[in-house]
């Protein structure tokens, strides 16, 4: 075999192996049984809590990485779409940060309720990975759904959506 054919076979073998490894990782991740999200302040560090009135209408939670400009823009869009005192209470969940967020970082979020995911529950236990997604919970803290991150600057997180049969409205 000439040198060109050997290199071609080697490149093909490496490419196929990498594809199979990546596919195996994807399948393992997709078949893993993740925890259903639930509001449990005991699993997170409550950094700021000045709200409370929205609990009767349920909660929305947005995971935010403080170093991600898209996360912060999505958070601002969600905050702009909210009417004061109306709808579910917003919890900003600071994720993928080893140290507790500074008071300055928390103030920059302009949110009434900020939790810090100190133990990586959002990613490691719930299996979520999309910054800026919006998780919806009813008034009892039971998980309803996850909405994708906004791509156009608008927010669909607060649009009323019917719940599955047998559930109370948030």
């Amino acid at each position: 075999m000439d040198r060109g054919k050997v290199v071609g076979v080697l490149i093909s073998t490496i490419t196929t192996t990498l594809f199979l490894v990546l596919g195996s990782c994807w399948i393992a991740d997709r078949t893993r049984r993740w925890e259903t999200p639930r509001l449990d302040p005991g699993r997170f560090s409550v950094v700021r809590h000045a709200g409370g009135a929205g609990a009767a209408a349920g909660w929305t939670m947005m995971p935010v990485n403080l170093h991600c400009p898209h996360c912060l823009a999505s958070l601002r869009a969600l905050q702009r779409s909210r009417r004061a005192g109306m709808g579910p209470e917003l919890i900003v969940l600071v994720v993928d940060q080893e140290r507790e967020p500074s008071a300055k970082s928390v103030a920059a979020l302009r949110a009434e309720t900020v939790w810090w995911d100190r133990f990586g529950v959002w990613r490691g236990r719930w299996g979520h990975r999309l910054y800026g997604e919006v998780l919806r919970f009813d008034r009892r803290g039971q998980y309803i759904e996850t909405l994708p991150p906004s791509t156009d600057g608008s927010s669909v997180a607060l649009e009323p959506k019917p719940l599955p049969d047998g559930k109370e409205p948030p």
Side-chain angles (χ1 to χ4, degrees), residues 95-163:
V95 296
D96 296 340
Q97 181 157 326
E98 292 182 17
R99 295 187 184 148
E100 184 170 354
S102 67
K104 183 178 178 181
S105 296
V106 171
L109 294 172
R110 298 189 303 239
E112 292 181 351
T113 305
V114 178
W115 293 359
W116 171 41
D117 188 8
R118 162 185 264 159
F119 302 110
V121 172
W122 172 74
R123 183 181 295 276
R125 307 286 300 203
W126 295 353
H128 288 246
R129 294 178 185 83
L130 293 176
Y131 298 139
E133 69 183 2
V134 177
L135 289 83
R136 293 182 60 225
F137 299 89
D138 68 14
R139 69 177 73 129
R140 294 177 314 229
Q142 300 297 313
Y143 174 74
I144 298 171
E145 67 180 336
T146 300
L147 300 170
S150 170
T151 57
D152 63 356
S154 67
S155 177
V156 296
L158 298 176
E159 291 177 6
K161 295 190 181 292
L163 294 176

Side-chain angles (χ1 to χ4, degrees), residues 57-129:
W59 288 272
T60 57
M61 175 186 280
M62 178 181 277
V64 172
N65 181 319
L66 296 175
H67 304 289
C68 172
H70 180 263
C71 287
L72 299 175
S74 295
L75 176 61
R76 295 289 175 256
L78 178 62
Q79 289 170 325
R80 281 191 305 271
S81 72
R82 298 170 55 84
R83 289 180 245 153
M86 300 293 289
E89 182 176 338
L90 173 62
I91 299 169
V92 176
L93 182 65
V94 176
V95 296
D96 296 340
Q97 181 157 326
E98 292 182 17
R99 295 187 184 148
E100 184 170 354
S102 67
K104 183 178 178 181
S105 296
V106 171
L109 294 172
R110 298 189 303 239
E112 292 181 351
T113 305
V114 178
W115 293 359
W116 171 41
D117 188 8
R118 162 185 264 159
F119 302 110
V121 172
W122 172 74
R123 183 181 295 276
R125 307 286 300 203
W126 295 353
H128 288 246
R129 294 178 185 83

